[in-house]
Amino acid sequence: MKNLREKINESAEFIKSKIGTEPKIGLILGSGLGVLADEIEDAVAIKYEEIPNFPVSTVEGHAGQLVVGKLQGKNVVAMQGRFHFYEGYTMQEATFPVRVMKALGVETIIVTNAAGGANKSYVPGDLMIIKDHINLGGNNPLIGPNDKELGVRFPDMSTAYTPEYIELAKEVAKELGIDVKEGVYTYFTGPTYETPAEIRMVQTIGGDAVGMSTVPEVIVARHSDLKVLGISCITNMAAGILDQPLDHEEVIETTQRVKKQFISLVKTILERM
Ligand code: 6GU
């Protein structure tokens, strides 16, 4: 049986054999936000199912491919569609692509997601720069023996979201006239949305948004010593805030509505990284 490092290297070698550039920035594109990958120039798209050792995406609305090329003059690799723990992958499987990005030469990842607003001052359509996270998933992708070649046993999470990039993102948003929020992303495994009581807890403990992704990937990114920028698209208010039920349609509708802003924000940030 191949160990994790051998699997990572095998995947990375396969990808390297298909691409002409060395990506420095990795993009993980959330629900409805995969459109950003369509803007990549000189793009080479590689379906996840072609890549040795990659899990295969199951969720509709996710293209399920890596797109490698140039965006705003930067060499990037984008995940169009990601793997979620709630789909039945292990935490290690769901975060495997982050390790492969590191092996490709990536130094920074930009992680995006659709999230519910727990902070009552937020409205659907807001973009939120992630300043920190709370892991309420009751799990961690680093559980198990630690491979020192991949990272330390006890990674520091004091500055999980690179302060310099938080500042850059806020500066760019201001210049573009986008009223971004800055907040704490709270991870639940899903696939249920939270209950109103859970959302009251999130508010009490300092969470501003809730979602079902990103935190496992950021944990692995920090283990891999990658810099991180996280951006949430607040697609709906979390349970108990408005007098209406939650559904995935609203999530997709909102991402469609704000995708232009989202694209211009991320592209301008990329340009200045
Ligand atoms: Cl309200 N909760 C979670 N966990 N994920 C979401 C969401 C809510 N809205 C969009 N994604």
Side-chain angles (χ1 to χ4, degrees):
M1 253 261 293
K2 281 177 229 135
N3 69 27
L4 176 59
R5 206 161 5 118
E6 287 164 341
K7 286 184 186 167
I8 295 164
N9 290 335
E10 188 178 40
S11 304
E13 287 311 313
F14 175 84
I15 295 162
K16 283 180 190 170
S17 77
K18 307 253 163 201
I19 62 180
T21 52
E22 179 176 299
K24 286 286 162 219
I25 301 174
L27 297 160
I28 302 180
L29 304 173
S31 296
L33 303 172
V35 285
L36 186 57
D38 301 334
E39 310 255 325
I40 294 173
E41 291 157 27
D42 307 322
V44 177
I46 310 170
K47 295 233 176 307
Y48 293 155
E49 62 219 52
E50 292 176 37
I51 306 171
N53 312 318
F54 248 56
V56 176
S57 188
T58 61
V59 176
E60 276 178 76
H62 284 209
Q65 58 182 11
L66 284 187
V67 184
V68 182
K70 278 194 179 286
L71 195 54
Q72 306 302 106
K74 295 290 196 296
N75 290 340
V76 301
V77 51
M79 285 183 76
Q80 211 168 22
R82 59 147 63 87
F83 303 104
H84 302 88
F85 185 61
Y86 66 71
E87 294 175 82
Y89 304 109
T90 63
M91 285 255 154
Q92 287 80 5
E93 286 166 346
T95 55
F96 182 75
V98 177
R99 302 231 180 253
V100 173
M101 285 183 176
K102 171 77 180 185
L104 289 174
V106 164
E107 294 169 349
T108 296
I109 59 165
I110 303 180
V111 196
T112 68
N113 59 61
N119 185 319
K120 287 180 180 161
S121 76
Y122 291 5
V123 294
D126 277 346
L127 297 179
M128 183 189 89
I129 308 303
I130 304 177
K131 67 175 175 191
D132 203 350
H133 74 224
I134 300 173
N135 181 6
L136 292 183
N139 211 327
N140 190 301
L142 304 183
I143 289 175
N146 186 58
D147 183 343
K148 278 204 201 74
E149 298 289 321
L150 298 178
V152 298
R153 173 74 287 192
F154 302 110
D156 177 32
M157 296 295 279
S158 305
T159 53
Y161 298 82
T162 309
E164 174 197 344
Y165 290 150
I166 295 174
E167 287 315 306
L168 173 64
K170 289 198 291 186
E171 205 175 286
V172 167
K174 199 170 175 189
E175 283 175 31
L176 297 175
I178 302 171
D179 176 30
V180 285
K181 304 293 191 280
E182 182 183 357
V184 174
Y185 179 93
T186 310
Y187 172 71
F188 288 84
T189 62
T192 48
Y193 292 116
E194 299 72 29
T195 63
E198 286 165 344
I199 296 305
R200 288 193 299 275
M201 172 185 71
V202 167
Q203 291 164 340
T204 303
I205 66 180
D208 297 294
V210 284
M212 307 177 194
S213 67
T214 301
V215 164
E217 293 147 345
V218 169
I219 290 171
V220 167
R222 295 305 298 144
H223 186 242
S224 310
D225 203 25
L226 295 170
K227 293 185 188 177
V228 175
L229 173 66
I231 305 175
S232 291
C233 173
I234 306 299
T235 51
N236 54 281
M237 295 313 287
I241 295 180
L242 303 177
D243 188 20
Q244 68 181 49
L246 278 62
D247 73 282
H248 188 61
E249 285 308 305
E250 187 181 8
V251 172
I252 297 302
E253 274 166 30
T254 307
T255 55
Q256 293 308 308
R257 179 160 66 81
V258 300
K259 70 183 177 197
K260 264 194 163 156
Q261 264 199 352
F262 169 79
I263 288 172
S264 69
L265 179 65
V266 177
K267 282 173 81 172
T268 313
I269 292 168
L270 259 180
E271 206 170 273
R272 312 239 191 121
M273 271 181 156

